[in-house]
Amino acid sequence: MSGPDLLAGRERALRALELTVKRKLEGFLHGDITGLRSGPGSEPNEARPYQAGQDDVRRMDWNVTARSLEPHVRAPLAERELETWALLDASASMDFGTALSEKRDLAIAIVGAVGLLADRPGNRLGVRVAIGNEVRRLPAAAGSVQLRRSLRSLLSLPRATPGEFPRTDLGRAITRLNREHPRPGLRVVVSDFHDDDGWVDPLRRLSARHEVIAVEVLDPRELELPEVGLLTLVDPETGRRREVRTSSRKLRRRYADAMTAHRTQTTQAIRAAGAAHLVLRTDTDWVRDVAAFATARRRSSIRRHPTGRTGIR
């Protein structure tokens, strides 16, 4: 494909991605789900008279309203700037998908969704990309223009052939994210977590300073082997090949059991690190999963802070 054709293809992909993210999230951005984090401004301040058309009726202070016989709302404290950084795992194992999309496509869509859900006055979104030995940086900035630039850069990432790049060290990438962006904020790590457990301690240290969401991206074909006879498996990181006979029921069961154990270990490690865990699959409606996740976090924060404070830690 020539240069102009390649550029045009990327722009079409970007427009399609933007349309998909915005259309699917439109119903959530202005409803009960206002973000992945109950961010600054959720701490109640003094009550003041209600202004029709400007104030959210959900902030109505009924006690003051009853005493004064005039509608009052509990105004939030002034919002402070929130810095959000997303770390995208762009290792070769993410270039895999047998359902609605590849894992990498879903991961990029999630970064776009994070940009929309974290979009508040003064907030900024930056992206780090882990690929091979590199940890690339897309600068943090506010607004839809910067989000579009970031998505364009992510869609332009090289797709490695198996064994072309060194194995991506997710733990090292998380450590750099924590060291180079120390200001407390929201951190979103998007990966299939197929790496060894070298990411566990770095994720724990990241969670000690920031609010962290670990997004695990899966494809259904990774969870169990299909019965298709002789199958050649390729390690996307090293390029090593191995032929297996999928007609063996014992082999398929062992594979499924191993993947179940791996996923259980991943879930336990993420929770032990103090991060929130969001699982997304290439064969499901990821927007509904994000919405359910955000709703559950909001409800959990309300139960933990019944006085009205809804910050999540």
Side-chain angles (χ1 to χ4, degrees), residues 249-301:
R249 182 178 302 177
K250 181 179 179 181
L251 175 64
R252 297 197 307 273
R253 184 173 62 250
R254 287 175 55 194
Y255 178 88
D257 290 344
M259 286 304 300
T260 298
H262 171 73
R263 291 219 53 243
T264 298
Q265 183 180 9
T266 298
T267 298
Q268 293 174 346
I270 290 174
R271 291 177 179 174
H277 188 199
L278 171 59
V279 179
L280 299 177
R281 294 171 51 128
T282 60
D283 63 339
T284 62
D285 187 342
W286 63 268
V287 174
R288 290 188 179 277
D289 293 336
V290 170
F293 173 81
T295 299
R297 286 170 66 78
R298 183 169 299 277
R299 289 174 177 171
S300 175
S301 71

Side-chain angles (χ1 to χ4, degrees), residues 155-174:
L155 288 170
S156 301
L157 288 172
R159 293 178 178 268
T161 57
E164 179 179 352
F165 287 109
R167 182 179 294 275
T168 298
D169 188 338
L170 183 61
R172 177 174 175 269
I174 295 174

Side-chain angles (χ1 to χ4, degrees), residues 6-313:
L6 182 60
L7 181 60
R10 288 172 178 171
E11 286 301 312
R12 286 194 298 270
L14 176 61
R15 288 195 296 270
L17 174 60
E18 287 182 318
L19 181 63
T20 298
V21 172
K22 289 181 178 179
R23 179 184 295 170
K24 288 190 173 185
L25 288 176
E26 184 177 11
F28 303 121
L29 291 174
H30 305 292
D32 291 336
I33 300 171
T34 56
L36 290 175
R37 167 180 176 157
S38 292
S42 60
E43 179 71 24
N45 198 0
E46 296 182 356
R48 59 170 174 75
Y50 169 76
Q51 298 179 9
Q54 300 183 24
D55 291 325
D56 188 341
V57 295
R58 292 175 295 182
R59 294 192 180 275
M60 193 74 71
D61 189 321
W62 297 109
N63 291 331
V64 176
T65 297
R67 291 196 302 268
S68 65
L69 300 181
E70 293 183 3
H72 278 69
V73 292
R74 182 67 64 173
L77 292 172
E79 294 192 351
R80 58 179 173 80
E81 184 179 283
L82 171 68
E83 187 170 85
T84 297
W85 281 91
L87 173 61
L88 176 67
D89 178 0
S91 57
S93 65
M94 295 289 285
D95 295 336
F96 178 78
T98 61
L100 302 177
S101 67
E102 290 186 349
K103 292 189 294 181
R104 179 193 289 230
D105 297 330
L106 178 54
I108 295 174
I110 291 305
V111 173
V114 169
L116 290 175
L117 292 169
D119 187 18
R120 298 292 185 273
N123 289 357
R124 302 190 304 162
L125 171 69
V127 183
R128 302 301 296 259
V129 181
I131 178 170
N133 289 329
E134 299 181 57
V135 182
R136 303 179 184 181
R137 180 179 182 272
L138 306 182
S144 58
V145 174
Q146 176 60 31
L147 178 59
R148 183 181 177 87
R149 289 174 180 168
S150 297
L151 293 177
R152 183 183 291 111
S153 297
L154 295 178
L155 288 170
S156 301
L157 288 172
R159 293 178 178 268
T161 57
E164 179 179 352
F165 287 109
R167 182 179 294 275
T168 298
D169 188 338
L170 183 61
R172 177 174 175 269
I174 295 174
T175 297
R176 286 191 57 180
L177 177 68
N178 195 23
R179 183 179 66 247
E180 297 175 11
H181 306 289
R183 181 178 180 178
L186 176 63
R187 302 293 180 264
V188 182
V189 180
V190 188
S191 173
D192 54 15
F193 294 96
H194 282 352
D195 199 0
D196 56 27
D197 59 1
W199 52 267
V200 177
D201 287 338
L203 187 68
R204 183 181 297 111
R205 290 191 291 270
L206 186 70
S207 299
R209 177 181 292 172
H210 309 280
E211 182 176 358
V212 178
I213 300 174
V215 183
E216 183 182 6
V217 182
L218 299 173
D219 185 88
R221 192 54 68 202
E222 296 174 313
L223 305 180
E224 57 183 16
L225 288 175
E227 187 177 357
V228 292
L230 188 64
L231 180 65
T232 301
L233 301 179
V234 182
D235 186 329
E237 301 285 349
T238 65
R240 288 180 297 183
R241 295 172 176 267
R242 181 177 179 180
E243 292 187 343
V244 297
R245 295 191 178 278
T246 60
S247 57
S248 170
R249 182 178 302 177
K250 181 179 179 181
L251 175 64
R252 297 197 307 273
R253 184 173 62 250
R254 287 175 55 194
Y255 178 88
D257 290 344
M259 286 304 300
T260 298
H262 171 73
R263 291 219 53 243
T264 298
Q265 183 180 9
T266 298
T267 298
Q268 293 174 346
I270 290 174
R271 291 177 179 174
H277 188 199
L278 171 59
V279 179
L280 299 177
R281 294 171 51 128
T282 60
D283 63 339
T284 62
D285 187 342
W286 63 268
V287 174
R288 290 188 179 277
D289 293 336
V290 170
F293 173 81
T295 299
R297 286 170 66 78
R298 183 169 299 277
R299 289 174 177 171
S300 175
S301 71
I302 292 174
R303 287 195 298 269
R304 281 194 277 171
H305 303 286
T307 59
R309 182 175 183 177
T310 57
I312 299 176
R313 286 292 177 191

